[in-house]
Amino acid sequence: MRVRNLTKRYGDVVAVDDVTLDFTPGVHCFAGPNGSGKTTLLRCLAGLTRPTSGVVEDVGDVNYAFQTPSVYHDLIVADNLAVFSGFASEPPAWRAKLADRLGLEPMWDRPASALSDGYRKRLDLALALLDRPDVLVLDEPLADLDPATRDAIVNTVESYAGDDRYVLVSTHNLDRFAGLADRLTVMSLGRVIADEPRGEWEDPEAAYERALRAHRSG
């Protein structure tokens, strides 16, 4: 999976500026100040936004969990999972495993509209994982969540990412992914200013700050 010379413009604004990246399976974190282009880049990769120029290559099945959860608010949790399962080919056992892993059982018969933000986020992640996509994109998955929900999401991401799966995470909470991030890409003003695999850093948050300092001083 790769992007080559990818650029996205909105009028005179260049949101992504000639980015070339090769992706490897595992957990790949994207970080950068607001407006750095990381979300636009991931939306282009997922096919949700058409780039102005450049190409996205060899991308398999992609599911995207947005910062604002996308669920059927009028349906109970069980029916949300049942409806979305109709679009997937995975067995019911996988749906049950996701519900257990994300702690959704206590909310099984509750309408999604009545869920807390944390449980709505858990449900949204379960829906994104129902068909076991090759690529899972998470946009700020931990923003404004309680500690238990953050742990549930991080643990689910850790167990899902594997030798043949990609989890791409745009986040300001790098410390929570310190133990499982395989790669860190730092963006600023639409460009990649650092792209480092695990092994070149011990703490992704420190690596992020180092990249920003070097960029500003350069």
Side-chain angles (χ1 to χ4, degrees):
M1 183 170 70
R2 60 188 68 88
V3 296
R4 290 286 180 268
N5 305 112
L6 194 142
T7 295
K8 177 61 181 178
R9 295 186 179 89
Y10 295 96
D12 294 332
V13 176
V14 181
V16 177
D17 190 2
D18 195 32
V19 168
T20 291
L21 281 174
D22 290 290
F23 296 83
T24 53
V27 179
H28 188 156
C29 287
F30 287 78
N34 290 335
S36 61
K38 55 189 184 296
T39 295
T40 302
L41 173 64
L42 294 179
R43 287 182 62 89
C44 288
L45 189 146
L48 299 173
T49 297
R50 179 174 295 181
T52 304
S53 61
V55 293
V56 179
E57 301 176 334
D58 299 330
V59 178
D61 179 30
V62 183
N63 279 359
Y64 201 115
F66 298 92
Q67 186 170 356
T68 300
S70 179
V71 300
Y72 289 121
H73 292 277
D74 293 335
L75 297 182
I76 63 173
V77 168
D79 288 345
N80 262 277
L81 290 166
V83 168
F84 277 83
S85 290
F87 303 105
S89 59
E90 298 298 327
W94 173 240
R95 176 175 51 183
K97 186 173 184 178
L98 286 174
D100 177 66
R101 186 174 290 165
L102 287 163
L104 289 170
E105 291 93 340
M107 305 293 133
W108 205 242
D109 296 317
R110 186 169 297 185
S113 59
L115 297 177
S116 67
D117 290 342
Y119 273 107
R120 198 173 293 123
K121 198 80 168 186
R122 296 184 197 208
L123 175 59
D124 185 58
L125 179 56
L127 298 179
L129 287 170
L130 276 174
D131 62 352
R132 298 199 216 206
D134 302 316
V135 184
L136 174 67
V137 180
L138 305 177
D139 189 1
E140 290 296 345
L142 306 182
D144 302 320
L145 296 179
D146 60 277
T149 297
R150 289 186 177 190
D151 288 344
I153 290 174
V154 169
N155 292 339
T156 300
V157 167
E158 183 175 21
S159 64
Y160 187 73
D163 293 337
D164 58 348
R165 293 179 183 144
Y166 304 76
V167 180
L168 313 181
V169 185
S170 172
T171 183
H172 290 293
N173 291 275
L174 285 171
D175 58 319
R176 299 305 298 267
F177 290 96
L180 63 149
D182 299 296
R183 187 170 168 188
L184 172 65
T185 296
V186 182
M187 297 187 67
S188 179
L189 300 176
R191 289 184 170 270
V192 171
I193 62 172
D195 183 46
E196 301 176 354
R198 177 185 290 279
E200 296 187 15
W201 41 263
E202 294 182 1
D203 178 357
E205 194 166 21
Y208 168 64
E209 294 295 339
R210 184 181 70 246
L212 286 183
R213 286 196 302 272
H215 178 64
R216 289 163 182 162
S217 64

